Structure formats: C-alpha cells, structure tokens
Amino acid sequence: NAVTPRAWTAYWTCKSDTEKKQDQINREPEFRPMNADVSEQRSRVRSYPTAASFFNFYSLQRSAGLIQTVRNVKPGSKLRFSIWTQLWSTNGDDANSSYQPGGLQARACVDTTGFTIGIPNFSSPSIVCGAPTREYDKYVQITVDAVAAADQVTVIFDTSADFPVKHNDVFADDAELILVDGVSAVAAAPVAAQ
C-alpha cells in the first residue's frame, strides 16, 4: 500500500499499544499515484502526467508523508524546499468540496543534517518546518527555508489530521529544492512519478 514516486519514501506513525484498539487512529495510509489520463483523477494532478497521493478512510494520521535525501549539498547553503499540495478532508463524497473537514494540514520541512530515515523526529533541532496549510480543494504551494548543516539534507512533506472523517486525502506535485540566492539549484526529484 505504499507506492511512491521515484526517489521518495513514504512514512507514517504506527499505532501505539493504546491505539491498537482504536482502528481510526494512526491506521496505515494508502500511498498511490494519481494519473491525469484517468478522468476522475485529473483534478488531483497539477503537472502532467501524475502526482503523489495518500489517504485514510474514516481514519486519521498524526504524521504521514514523503521524504527524500538530497546529497552533494554545500554545507552553509541557504535552501528553499517547496511542494504543491491539495488537501481533501470531508465527511461527504463531493470530490470538489471539503464538508466538515477533519483538520487535515500539510507542511514542508527540511532536516538540515540529512539524517532522517523513516519517521521524522520533529522535536530535533535539525528539522526546520514551514507554516502548515489547511487550505482545501485546490493546489497551494508550501515552502520552507533552511541552511544546510551537512553535505546532504532531507526534504520532508508532512501531514497530520485532527479527526477521522470519511476522507483525509493528500495530493502532492512539483517539489523542488533550490538555492535561495538562485545561482544554482539542487533539484529534488519531481514528485510526479515517471
């Protein structure tokens, strides 16, 4: 259930012992690509041909998303990680409207040391996160600026939800990592699967 774009790895919070009896909390999300050539998926893709997606049905995740480590970064470089996301959080079935949303949000983060493997430790001082968005039903760009502390960084697309509504669905496309001064760029692989 974890089909991700090339060079990206899925992560999610596993159930704690007390949550194992609560099926709606921290259930493993399904990760799969959206395809612009499929009519009902077209609005979920920002740039042709595909976008990443993951979701829970009548459930919530405290933290789930995608990570990618980017190597050959010059320590001290000022970087900007951006990614476009579309959130759909609803108790209804209208694909264009988030009715009674479950507090689904997304944010862009960077581990400035590049050591993140698996579930990010967001209490680590090496992880810098941008402001979360709770804009629904349209693609919005989220960003974060950070300074590389090593010759690699890990970019993180993180999401969480507050309530287990019928659909807590996340779509992501067009990620990039650039030098803020614009002299040159270190490109994260595009989120769109090839």
mmCIF file of all heavy atoms in Angstrom, residues 122-175:
data_model
loop_
_atom_site.group_PDB
_atom_site.id
_atom_site.type_symbol
_atom_site.label_atom_id
_atom_site.label_comp_id
_atom_site.label_asym_id
_atom_site.label_seq_id
_atom_site.Cartn_x
_atom_site.Cartn_y
_atom_site.Cartn_z
ATOM 1 N N PHE A 122 10.353 15.342 14.735
ATOM 2 C CA PHE A 122 10.118 16.776 14.587
ATOM 3 C C PHE A 122 10.545 17.593 15.806
ATOM 4 O O PHE A 122 10.555 18.811 15.757
ATOM 5 C CB PHE A 122 8.660 17.050 14.218
ATOM 6 C CG PHE A 122 8.332 16.592 12.824
ATOM 7 C CD1 PHE A 122 7.577 15.455 12.619
ATOM 8 C CD2 PHE A 122 8.808 17.283 11.729
ATOM 9 C CE1 PHE A 122 7.297 15.019 11.330
ATOM 10 C CE2 PHE A 122 8.532 16.863 10.437
ATOM 11 C CZ PHE A 122 7.779 15.724 10.234
ATOM 12 N N SER A 123 10.923 16.928 16.900
ATOM 13 C CA SER A 123 11.463 17.666 18.043
ATOM 14 C C SER A 123 12.968 17.907 17.889
ATOM 15 O O SER A 123 13.566 18.623 18.696
ATOM 16 C CB SER A 123 11.164 16.924 19.352
ATOM 17 O OG SER A 123 11.842 15.676 19.364
ATOM 18 N N SER A 124 13.579 17.331 16.866
ATOM 19 C CA SER A 124 15.006 17.522 16.629
ATOM 20 C C SER A 124 15.277 18.955 16.177
ATOM 21 O O SER A 124 14.584 19.481 15.301
ATOM 22 C CB SER A 124 15.502 16.556 15.551
ATOM 23 O OG SER A 124 16.808 16.918 15.130
ATOM 24 N N PRO A 125 16.314 19.596 16.730
ATOM 25 C CA PRO A 125 16.632 20.962 16.306
ATOM 26 C C PRO A 125 17.155 21.038 14.871
ATOM 27 O O PRO A 125 17.211 22.117 14.296
ATOM 28 C CB PRO A 125 17.700 21.404 17.309
ATOM 29 C CG PRO A 125 18.269 20.143 17.860
ATOM 30 C CD PRO A 125 17.171 19.121 17.818
ATOM 31 N N SER A 126 17.504 19.904 14.278
ATOM 32 C CA SER A 126 17.999 19.914 12.898
ATOM 33 C C SER A 126 16.865 19.980 11.874
ATOM 34 O O SER A 126 17.116 20.213 10.694
ATOM 35 C CB SER A 126 18.871 18.691 12.624
ATOM 36 O OG SER A 126 18.102 17.506 12.602
ATOM 37 N N ILE A 127 15.616 19.778 12.311
ATOM 38 C CA ILE A 127 14.471 19.811 11.390
ATOM 39 C C ILE A 127 13.788 21.173 11.477
ATOM 40 O O ILE A 127 13.365 21.609 12.546
ATOM 41 C CB ILE A 127 13.480 18.672 11.657
ATOM 42 C CG1 ILE A 127 14.160 17.325 11.383
ATOM 43 C CG2 ILE A 127 12.232 18.831 10.807
ATOM 44 C CD1 ILE A 127 13.268 16.115 11.565
ATOM 45 N N VAL A 128 13.706 21.829 10.332
ATOM 46 C CA VAL A 128 13.068 23.138 10.215
ATOM 47 C C VAL A 128 11.798 22.964 9.385
ATOM 48 O O VAL A 128 11.850 22.363 8.302
ATOM 49 C CB VAL A 128 14.016 24.138 9.516
ATOM 50 C CG1 VAL A 128 13.357 25.498 9.362
ATOM 51 C CG2 VAL A 128 15.335 24.250 10.272
ATOM 52 N N CYS A 129 10.677 23.491 9.867
ATOM 53 C CA CYS A 129 9.403 23.340 9.157
ATOM 54 C C CYS A 129 8.794 24.709 8.840
ATOM 55 O O CYS A 129 8.911 25.650 9.630
ATOM 56 C CB CYS A 129 8.407 22.533 9.987
ATOM 57 S SG CYS A 129 8.897 20.818 10.227
ATOM 58 N N GLY A 130 8.120 24.779 7.709
ATOM 59 C CA GLY A 130 7.364 25.964 7.346
ATOM 60 C C GLY A 130 6.000 25.940 7.998
ATOM 61 O O GLY A 130 5.615 24.972 8.660
ATOM 62 N N ALA A 131 5.253 26.998 7.804
ATOM 63 C CA ALA A 131 3.901 27.089 8.362
ATOM 64 C C ALA A 131 3.001 26.054 7.692
ATOM 65 O O ALA A 131 3.070 25.855 6.478
ATOM 66 C CB ALA A 131 3.344 28.491 8.152
ATOM 67 N N PRO A 132 2.147 25.388 8.462
ATOM 68 C CA PRO A 132 1.225 24.422 7.855
ATOM 69 C C PRO A 132 0.089 25.122 7.121
ATOM 70 O O PRO A 132 -0.260 26.259 7.430
ATOM 71 C CB PRO A 132 0.701 23.629 9.056
ATOM 72 C CG PRO A 132 0.852 24.548 10.217
ATOM 73 C CD PRO A 132 2.028 25.429 9.916
ATOM 74 N N THR A 133 -0.467 24.421 6.148
ATOM 75 C CA THR A 133 -1.650 24.931 5.444
ATOM 76 C C THR A 133 -2.834 24.017 5.719
ATOM 77 O O THR A 133 -2.674 22.803 5.856
ATOM 78 C CB THR A 133 -1.414 25.030 3.926
ATOM 79 O OG1 THR A 133 -2.590 25.602 3.322
ATOM 80 C CG2 THR A 133 -1.168 23.664 3.281
ATOM 81 N N ARG A 134 -4.005 24.640 5.807
ATOM 82 C CA ARG A 134 -5.267 23.906 5.888
ATOM 83 C C ARG A 134 -6.194 24.385 4.779
ATOM 84 O O ARG A 134 -7.409 24.361 4.937
ATOM 85 C CB ARG A 134 -5.916 24.086 7.255
ATOM 86 C CG ARG A 134 -5.216 23.292 8.332
ATOM 87 C CD ARG A 134 -5.992 23.245 9.612
ATOM 88 N NE ARG A 134 -5.275 22.420 10.577
ATOM 89 C CZ ARG A 134 -5.711 22.142 11.789
ATOM 90 N NH1 ARG A 134 -6.860 22.629 12.207
ATOM 91 N NH2 ARG A 134 -5.012 21.383 12.589
ATOM 92 N N GLU A 135 -5.614 24.817 3.679
ATOM 93 C CA GLU A 135 -6.432 25.186 2.521
ATOM 94 C C GLU A 135 -6.847 23.905 1.817
ATOM 95 O O GLU A 135 -6.019 23.034 1.565
ATOM 96 C CB GLU A 135 -5.642 26.085 1.574
ATOM 97 C CG GLU A 135 -5.410 27.477 2.135
ATOM 98 C CD GLU A 135 -4.878 28.427 1.085
ATOM 99 O OE1 GLU A 135 -5.547 28.587 0.037
ATOM 100 O OE2 GLU A 135 -3.802 28.987 1.316
ATOM 101 N N TYR A 136 -8.131 23.829 1.488
ATOM 102 C CA TYR A 136 -8.674 22.599 0.921
ATOM 103 C C TYR A 136 -9.138 22.810 -0.521
ATOM 104 O O TYR A 136 -9.454 23.926 -0.944
ATOM 105 C CB TYR A 136 -9.856 22.093 1.765
ATOM 106 C CG TYR A 136 -9.493 21.793 3.207
ATOM 107 C CD1 TYR A 136 -10.127 22.442 4.255
ATOM 108 C CD2 TYR A 136 -8.500 20.880 3.512
ATOM 109 C CE1 TYR A 136 -9.799 22.168 5.572
ATOM 110 C CE2 TYR A 136 -8.153 20.595 4.829
ATOM 111 C CZ TYR A 136 -8.802 21.236 5.854
ATOM 112 O OH TYR A 136 -8.467 20.969 7.161
ATOM 113 N N ASP A 137 -9.174 21.695 -1.248
ATOM 114 C CA ASP A 137 -9.840 21.597 -2.549
ATOM 115 C C ASP A 137 -9.157 22.365 -3.679
ATOM 116 O O ASP A 137 -9.767 22.602 -4.711
ATOM 117 C CB ASP A 137 -11.308 22.033 -2.444
ATOM 118 C CG ASP A 137 -12.032 21.332 -1.307
ATOM 119 O OD1 ASP A 137 -11.802 20.124 -1.135
ATOM 120 O OD2 ASP A 137 -12.800 21.990 -0.594
ATOM 121 N N LYS A 138 -7.902 22.762 -3.492
ATOM 122 C CA LYS A 138 -7.153 23.391 -4.578
ATOM 123 C C LYS A 138 -5.670 23.220 -4.273
ATOM 124 O O LYS A 138 -5.273 23.050 -3.108
ATOM 125 C CB LYS A 138 -7.484 24.879 -4.701
ATOM 126 C CG LYS A 138 -7.090 25.701 -3.480
ATOM 127 C CD LYS A 138 -7.451 27.161 -3.651
ATOM 128 C CE LYS A 138 -7.049 27.965 -2.415
ATOM 129 N NZ LYS A 138 -7.348 29.378 -2.553
ATOM 130 N N TYR A 139 -4.871 23.254 -5.320
ATOM 131 C CA TYR A 139 -3.426 23.168 -5.115
ATOM 132 C C TYR A 139 -2.883 24.480 -4.569
ATOM 133 O O TYR A 139 -3.222 25.551 -5.062
ATOM 134 C CB TYR A 139 -2.713 22.824 -6.424
ATOM 135 C CG TYR A 139 -2.439 21.339 -6.556
ATOM 136 C CD1 TYR A 139 -3.202 20.539 -7.399
ATOM 137 C CD2 TYR A 139 -1.412 20.738 -5.828
ATOM 138 C CE1 TYR A 139 -2.946 19.171 -7.518
ATOM 139 C CE2 TYR A 139 -1.153 19.384 -5.933
ATOM 140 C CZ TYR A 139 -1.911 18.608 -6.772
ATOM 141 O OH TYR A 139 -1.663 17.252 -6.881
ATOM 142 N N VAL A 140 -2.063 24.386 -3.518
ATOM 143 C CA VAL A 140 -1.350 25.533 -2.964
ATOM 144 C C VAL A 140 0.104 25.134 -2.778
ATOM 145 O O VAL A 140 0.418 23.969 -2.534
ATOM 146 C CB VAL A 140 -1.953 26.017 -1.626
ATOM 147 C CG1 VAL A 140 -3.358 26.536 -1.807
ATOM 148 C CG2 VAL A 140 -1.908 24.921 -0.566
ATOM 149 N N GLN A 141 0.983 26.115 -2.909
ATOM 150 C CA GLN A 141 2.404 25.848 -2.725
ATOM 151 C C GLN A 141 2.801 26.137 -1.284
ATOM 152 O O GLN A 141 2.450 27.184 -0.733
ATOM 153 C CB GLN A 141 3.240 26.712 -3.673
ATOM 154 C CG GLN A 141 4.719 26.366 -3.648
ATOM 155 C CD GLN A 141 5.521 27.237 -4.588
ATOM 156 O OE1 GLN A 141 5.281 28.437 -4.702
ATOM 157 N NE2 GLN A 141 6.490 26.636 -5.272
ATOM 158 N N ILE A 142 3.520 25.206 -0.667
ATOM 159 C CA ILE A 142 4.045 25.412 0.677
ATOM 160 C C ILE A 142 5.567 25.382 0.588
ATOM 161 O O ILE A 142 6.136 24.670 -0.246
ATOM 162 C CB ILE A 142 3.501 24.381 1.680
ATOM 163 C CG1 ILE A 142 3.750 22.940 1.216
ATOM 164 C CG2 ILE A 142 2.006 24.603 1.910
ATOM 165 C CD1 ILE A 142 3.315 21.880 2.215
ATOM 166 N N THR A 143 6.217 26.164 1.441
ATOM 167 C CA THR A 143 7.669 26.286 1.370
ATOM 168 C C THR A 143 8.283 26.343 2.763
ATOM 169 O O THR A 143 7.597 26.620 3.748
ATOM 170 C CB THR A 143 8.101 27.564 0.613
ATOM 171 O OG1 THR A 143 7.654 28.703 1.354
ATOM 172 C CG2 THR A 143 7.537 27.611 -0.788
ATOM 173 N N VAL A 144 9.595 26.111 2.783
ATOM 174 C CA VAL A 144 10.385 26.315 3.991
ATOM 175 C C VAL A 144 11.804 26.662 3.555
ATOM 176 O O VAL A 144 12.309 26.125 2.573
ATOM 177 C CB VAL A 144 10.371 25.070 4.905
ATOM 178 C CG1 VAL A 144 10.985 23.859 4.231
ATOM 179 C CG2 VAL A 144 11.070 25.366 6.232
ATOM 180 N N ASP A 145 12.423 27.596 4.260
ATOM 181 C CA ASP A 145 13.822 27.955 4.031
ATOM 182 C C ASP A 145 14.663 27.364 5.150
ATOM 183 O O ASP A 145 14.236 27.342 6.315
ATOM 184 C CB ASP A 145 14.002 29.470 4.009
ATOM 185 C CG ASP A 145 13.406 30.115 2.763
ATOM 186 O OD1 ASP A 145 12.938 29.389 1.863
ATOM 187 O OD2 ASP A 145 13.402 31.358 2.693
ATOM 188 N N ALA A 146 15.861 26.891 4.797
ATOM 189 C CA ALA A 146 16.752 26.291 5.790
ATOM 190 C C ALA A 146 18.192 26.444 5.315
ATOM 191 O O ALA A 146 18.445 26.683 4.133
ATOM 192 C CB ALA A 146 16.408 24.818 5.983
ATOM 193 N N VAL A 147 19.125 26.296 6.240
ATOM 194 C CA VAL A 147 20.554 26.346 5.934
ATOM 195 C C VAL A 147 21.123 24.949 6.129
ATOM 196 O O VAL A 147 20.977 24.356 7.211
ATOM 197 C CB VAL A 147 21.280 27.366 6.834
ATOM 198 C CG1 VAL A 147 22.780 27.343 6.572
ATOM 199 C CG2 VAL A 147 20.723 28.766 6.620
ATOM 200 N N ALA A 148 21.755 24.422 5.096
ATOM 201 C CA ALA A 148 22.322 23.078 5.163
ATOM 202 C C ALA A 148 23.415 23.008 6.218
ATOM 203 O O ALA A 148 24.320 23.838 6.253
ATOM 204 C CB ALA A 148 22.883 22.678 3.803
ATOM 205 N N ALA A 149 23.345 22.007 7.089
ATOM 206 C CA ALA A 149 24.349 21.814 8.130
ATOM 207 C C ALA A 149 25.323 20.701 7.766
ATOM 208 O O ALA A 149 26.254 20.426 8.515
ATOM 209 C CB ALA A 149 23.664 21.492 9.456
ATOM 210 N N ALA A 150 25.102 20.062 6.628
ATOM 211 C CA ALA A 150 25.954 18.957 6.191
ATOM 212 C C ALA A 150 25.959 18.938 4.668
ATOM 213 O O ALA A 150 25.373 19.809 4.025
ATOM 214 C CB ALA A 150 25.424 17.639 6.758
ATOM 215 N N ASP A 151 26.595 17.915 4.092
ATOM 216 C CA ASP A 151 26.648 17.818 2.632
ATOM 217 C C ASP A 151 25.432 17.092 2.061
ATOM 218 O O ASP A 151 25.405 16.724 0.892
ATOM 219 C CB ASP A 151 27.938 17.146 2.176
ATOM 220 C CG ASP A 151 28.059 15.707 2.667
ATOM 221 O OD1 ASP A 151 27.182 15.255 3.447
ATOM 222 O OD2 ASP A 151 29.037 15.036 2.283
ATOM 223 N N GLN A 152 24.428 16.903 2.909
ATOM 224 C CA GLN A 152 23.149 16.348 2.468
ATOM 225 C C GLN A 152 22.047 16.916 3.340
ATOM 226 O O GLN A 152 22.297 17.330 4.478
ATOM 227 C CB GLN A 152 23.138 14.821 2.542
ATOM 228 C CG GLN A 152 23.293 14.274 3.949
ATOM 229 C CD GLN A 152 23.297 12.758 3.985
ATOM 230 O OE1 GLN A 152 23.534 12.099 2.978
ATOM 231 N NE2 GLN A 152 23.015 12.188 5.146
ATOM 232 N N VAL A 153 20.834 16.971 2.804
ATOM 233 C CA VAL A 153 19.654 17.373 3.563
ATOM 234 C C VAL A 153 18.532 16.404 3.208
ATOM 235 O O VAL A 153 18.580 15.742 2.170
ATOM 236 C CB VAL A 153 19.207 18.829 3.259
ATOM 237 C CG1 VAL A 153 20.277 19.824 3.670
ATOM 238 C CG2 VAL A 153 18.820 18.999 1.802
ATOM 239 N N THR A 154 17.556 16.316 4.073
ATOM 240 C CA THR A 154 16.368 15.512 3.775
ATOM 241 C C THR A 154 15.173 16.441 3.697
ATOM 242 O O THR A 154 14.911 17.192 4.649
ATOM 243 C CB THR A 154 16.130 14.428 4.845
ATOM 244 O OG1 THR A 154 17.273 13.564 4.879
ATOM 245 C CG2 THR A 154 14.897 13.606 4.522
ATOM 246 N N VAL A 155 14.473 16.410 2.564
ATOM 247 C CA VAL A 155 13.251 17.203 2.431
ATOM 248 C C VAL A 155 12.084 16.330 2.885
ATOM 249 O O VAL A 155 12.053 15.118 2.650
ATOM 250 C CB VAL A 155 13.062 17.730 0.991
ATOM 251 C CG1 VAL A 155 14.138 18.741 0.654
ATOM 252 C CG2 VAL A 155 13.055 16.607 -0.034
ATOM 253 N N ILE A 156 11.145 16.959 3.572
ATOM 254 C CA ILE A 156 10.046 16.238 4.208
ATOM 255 C C ILE A 156 8.737 16.927 3.862
ATOM 256 O O ILE A 156 8.591 18.136 4.048
ATOM 257 C CB ILE A 156 10.211 16.220 5.745
ATOM 258 C CG1 ILE A 156 11.582 15.641 6.143
ATOM 259 C CG2 ILE A 156 9.068 15.450 6.405
ATOM 260 C CD1 ILE A 156 11.968 15.921 7.595
ATOM 261 N N PHE A 157 7.790 16.154 3.358
ATOM 262 C CA PHE A 157 6.418 16.629 3.148
ATOM 263 C C PHE A 157 5.573 15.926 4.200
ATOM 264 O O PHE A 157 5.375 14.715 4.143
ATOM 265 C CB PHE A 157 5.946 16.295 1.734
ATOM 266 C CG PHE A 157 4.494 16.602 1.499
ATOM 267 C CD1 PHE A 157 4.019 17.902 1.606
ATOM 268 C CD2 PHE A 157 3.602 15.593 1.175
ATOM 269 C CE1 PHE A 157 2.673 18.191 1.393
ATOM 270 C CE2 PHE A 157 2.263 15.867 0.949
ATOM 271 C CZ PHE A 157 1.798 17.166 1.062
ATOM 272 N N ASP A 158 5.128 16.677 5.214
ATOM 273 C CA ASP A 158 4.461 16.089 6.379
ATOM 274 C C ASP A 158 3.006 16.514 6.456
ATOM 275 O O ASP A 158 2.678 17.675 6.188
ATOM 276 C CB ASP A 158 5.180 16.533 7.659
ATOM 277 C CG ASP A 158 4.544 15.950 8.904
ATOM 278 O OD1 ASP A 158 4.520 14.710 9.033
ATOM 279 O OD2 ASP A 158 4.071 16.729 9.758
ATOM 280 N N THR A 159 2.148 15.590 6.837
ATOM 281 C CA THR A 159 0.733 15.888 7.028
ATOM 282 C C THR A 159 0.251 15.295 8.349
ATOM 283 O O THR A 159 0.839 14.346 8.877
ATOM 284 C CB THR A 159 -0.140 15.298 5.889
ATOM 285 O OG1 THR A 159 -0.097 13.870 5.955
ATOM 286 C CG2 THR A 159 0.352 15.771 4.532
ATOM 287 N N SER A 160 -0.837 15.857 8.851
ATOM 288 C CA SER A 160 -1.490 15.317 10.040
ATOM 289 C C SER A 160 -2.955 15.721 9.993
ATOM 290 O O SER A 160 -3.335 16.635 9.263
ATOM 291 C CB SER A 160 -0.829 15.840 11.317
ATOM 292 O OG SER A 160 -0.959 17.254 11.392
ATOM 293 N N ALA A 161 -3.768 15.030 10.770
ATOM 294 C CA ALA A 161 -5.197 15.354 10.842
ATOM 295 C C ALA A 161 -5.649 15.290 12.296
ATOM 296 O O ALA A 161 -5.032 14.620 13.122
ATOM 297 C CB ALA A 161 -6.019 14.392 9.988
ATOM 298 N N ASP A 162 -6.732 15.994 12.582
ATOM 299 C CA ASP A 162 -7.268 16.043 13.946
ATOM 300 C C ASP A 162 -8.412 15.065 14.183
ATOM 301 O O ASP A 162 -8.607 14.598 15.297
ATOM 302 C CB ASP A 162 -7.774 17.455 14.267
ATOM 303 C CG ASP A 162 -6.668 18.493 14.256
ATOM 304 O OD1 ASP A 162 -5.507 18.140 14.585
ATOM 305 O OD2 ASP A 162 -6.947 19.649 13.897
ATOM 306 N N PHE A 163 -9.206 14.813 13.120
ATOM 307 C CA PHE A 163 -10.408 13.997 13.278
ATOM 308 C C PHE A 163 -10.490 12.942 12.176
ATOM 309 O O PHE A 163 -10.099 13.195 11.033
ATOM 310 C CB PHE A 163 -11.667 14.873 13.225
ATOM 311 C CG PHE A 163 -11.650 15.988 14.228
ATOM 312 C CD1 PHE A 163 -11.403 17.291 13.825
ATOM 313 C CD2 PHE A 163 -11.863 15.741 15.574
ATOM 314 C CE1 PHE A 163 -11.370 18.330 14.735
ATOM 315 C CE2 PHE A 163 -11.832 16.769 16.503
ATOM 316 C CZ PHE A 163 -11.588 18.066 16.082
ATOM 317 N N PRO A 164 -11.037 11.768 12.479
ATOM 318 C CA PRO A 164 -11.145 10.687 11.498
ATOM 319 C C PRO A 164 -12.393 10.821 10.625
ATOM 320 O O PRO A 164 -13.358 10.076 10.763
ATOM 321 C CB PRO A 164 -11.199 9.433 12.372
ATOM 322 C CG PRO A 164 -11.862 9.886 13.642
ATOM 323 C CD PRO A 164 -11.415 11.319 13.836
ATOM 324 N N VAL A 165 -12.378 11.786 9.708
ATOM 325 C CA VAL A 165 -13.518 11.957 8.800
ATOM 326 C C VAL A 165 -13.443 10.934 7.667
ATOM 327 O O VAL A 165 -12.459 10.204 7.520
ATOM 328 C CB VAL A 165 -13.563 13.399 8.247
ATOM 329 C CG1 VAL A 165 -13.844 14.381 9.367
ATOM 330 C CG2 VAL A 165 -12.304 13.762 7.505
ATOM 331 N N LYS A 166 -14.473 10.898 6.848
ATOM 332 C CA LYS A 166 -14.554 9.891 5.791
ATOM 333 C C LYS A 166 -13.358 9.928 4.850
ATOM 334 O O LYS A 166 -12.793 8.906 4.490
ATOM 335 C CB LYS A 166 -15.852 10.078 4.991
ATOM 336 C CG LYS A 166 -16.100 8.968 3.985
ATOM 337 C CD LYS A 166 -17.480 9.101 3.358
ATOM 338 C CE LYS A 166 -17.778 7.929 2.439
ATOM 339 N NZ LYS A 166 -19.132 8.042 1.839
ATOM 340 N N HIS A 167 -12.947 11.134 4.430
ATOM 341 C CA HIS A 167 -11.807 11.275 3.524
ATOM 342 C C HIS A 167 -10.802 12.257 4.113
ATOM 343 O O HIS A 167 -11.116 13.432 4.284
ATOM 344 C CB HIS A 167 -12.254 11.810 2.156
ATOM 345 C CG HIS A 167 -13.214 10.929 1.439
ATOM 346 N ND1 HIS A 167 -12.830 9.793 0.770
ATOM 347 C CD2 HIS A 167 -14.561 11.019 1.287
ATOM 348 C CE1 HIS A 167 -13.886 9.218 0.220
ATOM 349 N NE2 HIS A 167 -14.962 9.943 0.528
ATOM 350 N N ASN A 168 -9.618 11.796 4.408
ATOM 351 C CA ASN A 168 -8.467 12.646 4.705
ATOM 352 C C ASN A 168 -7.448 12.317 3.624
ATOM 353 O O ASN A 168 -6.588 11.449 3.799
ATOM 354 C CB ASN A 168 -7.901 12.377 6.107
ATOM 355 C CG ASN A 168 -8.575 13.204 7.177
ATOM 356 O OD1 ASN A 168 -8.887 14.372 6.977
ATOM 357 N ND2 ASN A 168 -8.799 12.604 8.335
ATOM 358 N N ASP A 169 -7.575 12.971 2.469
ATOM 359 C CA ASP A 169 -6.785 12.640 1.284
ATOM 360 C C ASP A 169 -5.802 13.762 0.973
ATOM 361 O O ASP A 169 -6.155 14.948 1.011
ATOM 362 C CB ASP A 169 -7.691 12.438 0.063
ATOM 363 C CG ASP A 169 -8.604 11.224 0.196
ATOM 364 O OD1 ASP A 169 -8.829 10.752 1.325
ATOM 365 O OD2 ASP A 169 -9.105 10.758 -0.835
ATOM 366 N N VAL A 170 -4.576 13.374 0.628
ATOM 367 C CA VAL A 170 -3.494 14.311 0.351
ATOM 368 C C VAL A 170 -2.959 14.053 -1.052
ATOM 369 O O VAL A 170 -2.727 12.897 -1.432
ATOM 370 C CB VAL A 170 -2.347 14.133 1.368
ATOM 371 C CG1 VAL A 170 -1.187 15.065 1.052
ATOM 372 C CG2 VAL A 170 -2.846 14.339 2.796
ATOM 373 N N PHE A 171 -2.741 15.128 -1.805
ATOM 374 C CA PHE A 171 -2.159 15.041 -3.144
ATOM 375 C C PHE A 171 -0.959 15.983 -3.174
ATOM 376 O O PHE A 171 -1.002 17.059 -2.583
ATOM 377 C CB PHE A 171 -3.189 15.429 -4.205
ATOM 378 C CG PHE A 171 -4.483 14.676 -4.048
ATOM 379 C CD1 PHE A 171 -5.519 15.219 -3.302
ATOM 380 C CD2 PHE A 171 -4.635 13.416 -4.592
ATOM 381 C CE1 PHE A 171 -6.709 14.511 -3.116
ATOM 382 C CE2 PHE A 171 -5.813 12.711 -4.400
ATOM 383 C CZ PHE A 171 -6.847 13.250 -3.670
ATOM 384 N N ALA A 172 0.112 15.593 -3.854
ATOM 385 C CA ALA A 172 1.327 16.405 -3.887
ATOM 386 C C ALA A 172 1.971 16.317 -5.259
ATOM 387 O O ALA A 172 1.956 15.268 -5.902
ATOM 388 C CB ALA A 172 2.302 15.934 -2.813
ATOM 389 N N ASP A 173 2.549 17.441 -5.691
ATOM 390 C CA ASP A 173 3.164 17.502 -7.018
ATOM 391 C C ASP A 173 4.213 18.621 -7.037
ATOM 392 O O ASP A 173 4.211 19.509 -6.180
ATOM 393 C CB ASP A 173 2.072 17.784 -8.060
ATOM 394 C CG ASP A 173 2.364 17.165 -9.413
ATOM 395 O OD1 ASP A 173 3.523 16.786 -9.671
ATOM 396 O OD2 ASP A 173 1.428 17.063 -10.222
ATOM 397 N N ASP A 174 5.088 18.570 -8.017
ATOM 398 C CA ASP A 174 6.024 19.661 -8.328
ATOM 399 C C ASP A 174 6.868 20.116 -7.138
ATOM 400 O O ASP A 174 6.893 21.291 -6.779
ATOM 401 C CB ASP A 174 5.263 20.858 -8.905
ATOM 402 C CG ASP A 174 4.576 20.517 -10.217
ATOM 403 O OD1 ASP A 174 5.116 19.691 -10.970
ATOM 404 O OD2 ASP A 174 3.496 21.064 -10.479
ATOM 405 N N ALA A 175 7.609 19.194 -6.562
ATOM 406 C CA ALA A 175 8.530 19.536 -5.479
ATOM 407 C C ALA A 175 9.857 19.999 -6.061
ATOM 408 O O ALA A 175 10.289 19.531 -7.116
ATOM 409 C CB ALA A 175 8.770 18.316 -4.594
#
